[in-house]
Amino acid sequence: MLGQMMDDALTITSIMKFAMKVFPDTEIVSVTGDNPRHRSTFGKAFTRVHQLANALSKLGCAPGDRIATLAWNDYRHFELYYGISCSGYVCHTINPRLFPEQVSYIVNHAEDQWIFVDPAFLPMLEQLQAELKTVRGFVVLTSKAAMPETSLNNVRCYEELIEAEADSFTWPELDENSASSLCYTSGTTGNPKGVLYSHRSTVLHCLGTNTKDTLALAPDETIMPVVPMFHVNAWGSVYGAAMAGTKLVFPGPKMGDGETLATLINEEGVTFALGVPTVWLALVNYLQESGSKVESLQRLVVGGAACPRSLMEAMDAYNVDMHVGWGMTEMSPLGTYNTLLPWMHDLPEDEKFAYRLKAGRLIYGVEMRIVDEEVNELAWDGKVSGRLQVRGPWICKSYYKLEDSDAHLPDGWFDTGDVATIDQYGFMQITDRTKDVIKSGGEWISSIDVENAAMGHEDVAEAAVIGVPHPKWTERPLLVVVKRPGSEPQKADLLGYLDGKIAKWWIPEDCVFVEEIPHTATGKVSKKDLRELFADYSY
Ligand code: ADP
């Protein structure tokens, strides 16, 4: 027997319509390249979203088209999120920190039709233009007055594009399972892979991550997503804020700058902010050096990498509660969130820290398990570790255009590539990774690409790259090399050789020479053994 309730579609359009009615005056404050403090509201932004929808339709966009953004966090990017998805197109957020070749791969793979771009990223697109096969034109995210010179073909100015348009639009009735946005992850080996979110998964993730024990967004909060909008939809916060009537503060291009963050927090009354450890380190360093305070700030979510205890302690000294979150691009992203159970607050200091530093407690909506190599489920005893697998309505089923490859889905579970313990209360702790990548400042570095580049040097017999701890970037790559017999390569030559072959920030700071690199029985480099060999190495 079926239930007899209405089955209205769960769409991003419904979030927009709700916020327009209930929270039209809630503010959106942004730093942009052309304005140090732009002020808008949900009402104004969504009115412009209607104009944008008319403009997109005139640009010839068809249902399901991928429309790309290459932009920092600000109100125009916010408008694109809603304008593109609610019109029935797919908002493809591109990470501008990727190596240009990866950007052109992603644009071509997604078959993007238009790219909405911040002026700062024009040089990259100018360099790539000839390779971008499907792109019909570019829209620069700025005003007519600030429009820069560019050699790109078919270029429009965002403000000019939308200003002439009507502020009413008939939104299509979308199937809740239709695609809403697309984000490529390079956190796997091989080419970046596209994660295609749906309206339904986005709305469910918003609902599932806005309980009192998780993001707890509400009209009395002001949030600042320092996590980029090209990283899993700013961890969903941009939709959650509209659903909950929460004031949004966008830091624009200055998101790594402690002074800008502190100023925005103090002047806009930010209560809650989201970002990777590296940005909170920049904030703490600035506060300690300048003697400034951040009195409105009550809590932070730190994710994307493990949180060092020293950082959490430093934030405690400013009365800012740090909550660790864990997730992935493939998980929309949230899977666990760290809030202590009531009795844990009374634990001795060290035991309490041990809990607070874990990757967090499983949230409703995600199922999680740890398994051994034979996929036997392991106990939740907080001791035994295994491959971490997840499933649920906001977890990726297959990658975009790789629908047939279910390598990540043994019997319907998504293998995260993380290795973890889970305890009896559902607190998860990451202990290792099976994926051969390094995470530096919240961004992935492919060990394999760095190794292949290094192997091209004539004096290198074998090269391997591992991640080692770094105080600012959490992890940085270390190049381990076996010299070709009879040659005497120098560190500086080898590292200099990588320049131009991989992204600058992927180049390891150091290179060590060894007689032999450990291998597994099947002849592959044993990263596990190599990491153990260099367990005491740190930058
Ligand atoms: P995100 O943008 O959320 O960082 P990615 O897909 O780029 O998403 O990265 C996901 C990976 O980052 C995880 O599989 C894990 O290896 C790492 N990660 C995320 N959160 C944490 C955390 N709290 N502690 C340790 N590692 C983490």
Side-chain angles (χ1 to χ4, degrees), residues 232 235 304-306 324-329 418 430 433 435 439 444:
V232 215
W235 296 346
V324 180
W326 166 84
M328 299 180 73
T329 305
D418 289 322
I430 296 192
R433 264 185 222 143
K435 47 194 171 194
K439 205 158 197 202
W444 292 112

Side-chain angles (χ1 to χ4, degrees), residues 466-478:
I466 51 168
V468 291
H470 187 281
K472 179 170 178 193
W473 302 108
T474 315
E475 253 184 357
R476 288 292 302 154
L478 172 70

Side-chain angles (χ1 to χ4, degrees), residues 74-315:
D74 66 27
Y75 68 103
R76 292 188 182 110
H77 207 170
F78 173 96
E79 292 163 6
L80 287 163
Y81 261 43
Y82 286 90
I84 296 171
S85 301
C86 300
S87 297
Y89 319 127
V90 179
C91 181
H92 173 201
T93 51
I94 303 175
N95 182 346
R97 293 179 180 142
L98 295 176
F99 200 43
E101 275 152 25
Q102 287 178 306
V103 171
S104 71
Y105 170 85
I106 286 174
V107 170
N108 286 329
H109 189 267
E111 299 174 80
D112 292 329
Q113 300 291 304
W114 288 86
I115 302 183
F116 286 71
V117 54
D118 263 354
F121 305 126
L122 284 173
M124 184 201 278
L125 290 183
E126 285 163 355
Q127 181 194 336
L128 294 176
Q129 176 165 221
E131 296 165 31
L132 308 179
K133 301 190 188 84
T134 57
V135 177
R136 292 192 278 137
F138 304 87
V139 180
V140 184
L141 294 165
T142 192
S143 62
K144 194 175 172 194
M147 193 62 187
E149 285 284 315
T150 169
S151 61
L152 288 174
N153 296 323
N154 199 11
V155 178
R156 314 288 174 89
C157 160
Y158 182 78
E159 292 301 330
E160 262 191 301
L161 183 79
I162 67 169
E163 78 185 355
E165 298 298 336
D167 59 10
S168 61
F169 185 79
T170 308
W171 298 102
E173 296 283 332
L174 298 171
D175 180 327
E176 64 179 14
N177 285 305
S178 53
S180 58
S181 58
L182 176 63
C183 182
Y184 278 73
T185 176
S186 44
T188 51
T189 42
N191 282 323
K193 296 186 177 67
V195 178
L196 190 60
Y197 308 102
S198 67
H199 282 262
R200 179 175 189 267
S201 71
T202 304
V203 172
L204 288 175
H205 177 262
C206 253
L207 291 169
T209 59
N210 200 28
T211 61
K212 191 179 171 202
D213 256 7
T214 53
L215 300 185
L217 301 179
D220 60 355
E221 296 276 351
T222 293
I223 61 161
M224 180 164 69
V226 187
V227 51
M229 290 171 76
F230 50 78
H231 264 193
V232 215
N233 302 324
W235 296 346
S237 57
V238 175
Y239 304 116
M243 205 183 247
T246 306
K247 174 177 168 182
L248 269 167
V249 178
F250 286 124
K254 303 284 284 279
M255 51 174 96
D257 177 49
E259 183 173 1
T260 304
L261 298 180
T263 308
L264 280 171
I265 292 167
N266 289 326
E267 293 182 5
E268 299 299 337
V270 172
T271 58
F272 180 35
L274 304 89
V276 296
T278 305
V279 300
W280 303 138
L281 203 62
L283 177 62
V284 155
N285 286 344
Y286 170 74
L287 295 178
Q288 289 172 343
E289 279 160 23
S290 65
S292 310
K293 296 226 158 54
V294 277
E295 278 166 0
S296 62
L297 190 65
Q298 294 163 10
R299 56 197 178 105
L300 293 175
V301 53
V302 57
C307 178
R309 176 167 174 166
S310 55
L311 179 58
M312 198 175 263
E313 282 174 329
M315 283 296 179

Side-chain angles (χ1 to χ4, degrees), residues 79 179 201 258 287 348 359 380 392 397 432 460 470 491 500:
E79 292 163 6
S201 71
L287 295 178
W380 288 25
K397 188 161 62 182
D432 200 0
V460 173
H470 187 281
K491 262 185 203 185

